Short mmCIF file of all heavy atoms in Angstrom, two decimals:
data_model
loop_
_atom_site.label_atom_id
_atom_site.label_comp_id
_atom_site.label_asym_id
_atom_site.label_seq_id
_atom_site.Cartn_x
_atom_site.Cartn_y
_atom_site.Cartn_z
N GLU A 248 0.82 -1.23 0.01
CA GLU A 248 -0.03 0.03 0.02
C GLU A 248 0.84 1.28 -0.04
O GLU A 248 0.35 2.37 -0.26
CB GLU A 248 -0.89 0.01 1.22
CG GLU A 248 -2.12 -0.90 1.12
CD GLU A 248 -1.86 -2.35 1.48
OE1 GLU A 248 -0.67 -2.66 1.73
OE2 GLU A 248 -2.81 -3.13 1.52
N SER A 249 2.15 1.09 0.29
CA SER A 249 3.05 2.22 0.17
C SER A 249 3.08 2.82 -1.21
O SER A 249 3.39 4.02 -1.38
CB SER A 249 4.47 1.84 0.59
OG SER A 249 4.54 1.19 1.87
N SER A 250 2.74 2.01 -2.19
CA SER A 250 2.70 2.50 -3.54
C SER A 250 1.66 3.56 -3.75
O SER A 250 1.72 4.37 -4.65
CB SER A 250 2.43 1.37 -4.48
OG SER A 250 1.31 0.59 -4.11
N ALA A 251 0.65 3.64 -2.84
CA ALA A 251 -0.35 4.67 -2.90
C ALA A 251 0.29 6.01 -2.57
O ALA A 251 -0.01 7.06 -3.15
CB ALA A 251 -1.47 4.38 -1.91
N GLY A 252 1.18 5.98 -1.59
CA GLY A 252 1.92 7.22 -1.23
C GLY A 252 2.87 7.62 -2.34
O GLY A 252 3.00 8.83 -2.64
N VAL A 253 3.55 6.71 -2.93
CA VAL A 253 4.46 6.96 -4.09
C VAL A 253 3.60 7.58 -5.24
O VAL A 253 4.11 8.52 -5.91
CB VAL A 253 5.15 5.70 -4.51
CG1 VAL A 253 5.94 5.93 -5.82
CG2 VAL A 253 6.12 5.24 -3.43
N ALA A 254 2.40 7.08 -5.39
CA ALA A 254 1.61 7.55 -6.52
C ALA A 254 1.26 9.06 -6.40
O ALA A 254 0.98 9.67 -7.41
CB ALA A 254 0.32 6.71 -6.63
N VAL A 255 1.23 9.55 -5.14
CA VAL A 255 0.87 10.97 -4.94
C VAL A 255 2.14 11.78 -4.77
O VAL A 255 2.08 12.94 -4.43
CB VAL A 255 -0.12 11.19 -3.75
CG1 VAL A 255 -1.37 10.47 -4.00
CG2 VAL A 255 0.55 10.73 -2.47
N GLY A 256 3.32 11.23 -4.99
CA GLY A 256 4.50 12.04 -5.08
C GLY A 256 5.62 11.65 -4.06
O GLY A 256 6.75 12.20 -4.16
N ALA A 257 5.35 10.78 -3.13
CA ALA A 257 6.38 10.44 -2.10
C ALA A 257 7.60 9.75 -2.82
O ALA A 257 7.44 8.86 -3.64
CB ALA A 257 5.83 9.50 -1.08
N ARG A 258 8.82 10.20 -2.42
CA ARG A 258 10.01 9.60 -2.97
C ARG A 258 11.08 9.33 -1.91
O ARG A 258 12.10 8.69 -2.22
CB ARG A 258 10.63 10.54 -4.06
CG ARG A 258 9.75 10.65 -5.33
CD ARG A 258 9.70 9.38 -6.04
NE ARG A 258 8.91 9.50 -7.31
CZ ARG A 258 7.59 9.40 -7.36
NH1 ARG A 258 6.95 9.12 -6.29
NH2 ARG A 258 6.99 9.48 -8.54
N SER A 259 11.00 9.88 -0.74
CA SER A 259 12.01 9.77 0.33
C SER A 259 11.55 9.16 1.56
O SER A 259 10.39 8.88 1.71
CB SER A 259 12.53 11.16 0.57
OG SER A 259 11.70 11.82 1.45
N GLY A 260 12.52 8.92 2.46
CA GLY A 260 12.20 8.29 3.76
C GLY A 260 11.30 9.20 4.64
O GLY A 260 10.69 8.74 5.61
N LEU A 261 11.24 10.46 4.30
CA LEU A 261 10.39 11.39 5.09
C LEU A 261 8.93 10.92 5.09
O LEU A 261 8.23 10.99 6.08
CB LEU A 261 10.49 12.84 4.54
CG LEU A 261 9.64 13.85 5.29
CD1 LEU A 261 9.99 13.89 6.75
CD2 LEU A 261 9.80 15.23 4.62
N ALA A 262 8.45 10.36 3.95
CA ALA A 262 7.07 9.83 3.89
C ALA A 262 6.90 8.76 4.86
O ALA A 262 5.85 8.65 5.55
CB ALA A 262 6.79 9.40 2.44
N ALA A 263 7.86 7.79 4.96
CA ALA A 263 7.77 6.67 5.93
C ALA A 263 7.78 7.18 7.35
O ALA A 263 7.15 6.57 8.23
CB ALA A 263 8.96 5.68 5.66
N VAL A 264 8.57 8.20 7.61
CA VAL A 264 8.61 8.82 8.99
C VAL A 264 7.24 9.35 9.29
O VAL A 264 6.73 9.18 10.41
CB VAL A 264 9.70 9.89 9.06
CG1 VAL A 264 9.60 10.68 10.37
CG2 VAL A 264 11.08 9.27 8.91
N VAL A 265 6.65 10.06 8.38
CA VAL A 265 5.28 10.61 8.57
C VAL A 265 4.28 9.47 8.86
O VAL A 265 3.50 9.54 9.77
CB VAL A 265 4.81 11.38 7.38
CG1 VAL A 265 3.30 11.73 7.45
CG2 VAL A 265 5.66 12.65 7.18
N THR A 266 4.36 8.42 8.08
CA THR A 266 3.59 7.20 8.29
C THR A 266 3.77 6.66 9.77
O THR A 266 2.80 6.33 10.42
CB THR A 266 3.83 6.11 7.24
OG1 THR A 266 3.54 6.64 5.93
CG2 THR A 266 2.88 4.91 7.45
N GLY A 267 4.98 6.53 10.15
CA GLY A 267 5.28 5.99 11.46
C GLY A 267 4.79 6.84 12.55
O GLY A 267 4.14 6.33 13.57
N ILE A 268 4.88 8.16 12.45
CA ILE A 268 4.35 9.08 13.44
C ILE A 268 2.83 8.93 13.54
O ILE A 268 2.25 8.96 14.65
CB ILE A 268 4.79 10.52 13.17
CG1 ILE A 268 6.30 10.69 13.38
CG2 ILE A 268 4.01 11.53 13.99
CD1 ILE A 268 6.82 12.03 12.87
N LEU A 269 2.19 8.79 12.39
CA LEU A 269 0.69 8.69 12.41
C LEU A 269 0.31 7.37 13.09
O LEU A 269 -0.77 7.33 13.74
CB LEU A 269 0.19 8.76 10.94
CG LEU A 269 0.28 10.13 10.29
CD1 LEU A 269 -0.03 10.10 8.86
CD2 LEU A 269 -0.58 11.17 11.03
N PHE A 270 1.06 6.31 12.87
CA PHE A 270 0.70 5.04 13.59
C PHE A 270 0.86 5.25 15.11
O PHE A 270 0.02 4.67 15.89
CB PHE A 270 1.56 3.92 13.12
CG PHE A 270 1.07 3.18 11.91
CD1 PHE A 270 1.68 3.23 10.68
CD2 PHE A 270 -0.07 2.40 12.09
CE1 PHE A 270 1.17 2.48 9.60
CE2 PHE A 270 -0.57 1.68 10.98
CZ PHE A 270 0.07 1.73 9.75
N LEU A 271 1.82 5.94 15.54
CA LEU A 271 1.90 6.30 16.97
C LEU A 271 0.75 7.08 17.46
O LEU A 271 0.09 6.81 18.54
CB LEU A 271 3.22 7.00 17.26
CG LEU A 271 4.50 6.18 17.33
CD1 LEU A 271 5.70 7.13 17.62
CD2 LEU A 271 4.46 5.10 18.44
#
């Protein structure tokens, strides 16, 4: 499902950090 984030422009680890913070 990370490909959904890539599809809207994510290219770096910052997107994964944002995802991790939201899970917390």
Side-chain angles (χ1 to χ4, degrees):
E248 283 84 354
S249 305
S250 52
V253 171
V255 299
R258 292 295 182 273
S259 78
L261 179 56
V264 170
V265 171
T266 300
I268 292 172
L269 290 171
F270 270 113
L271 281 179

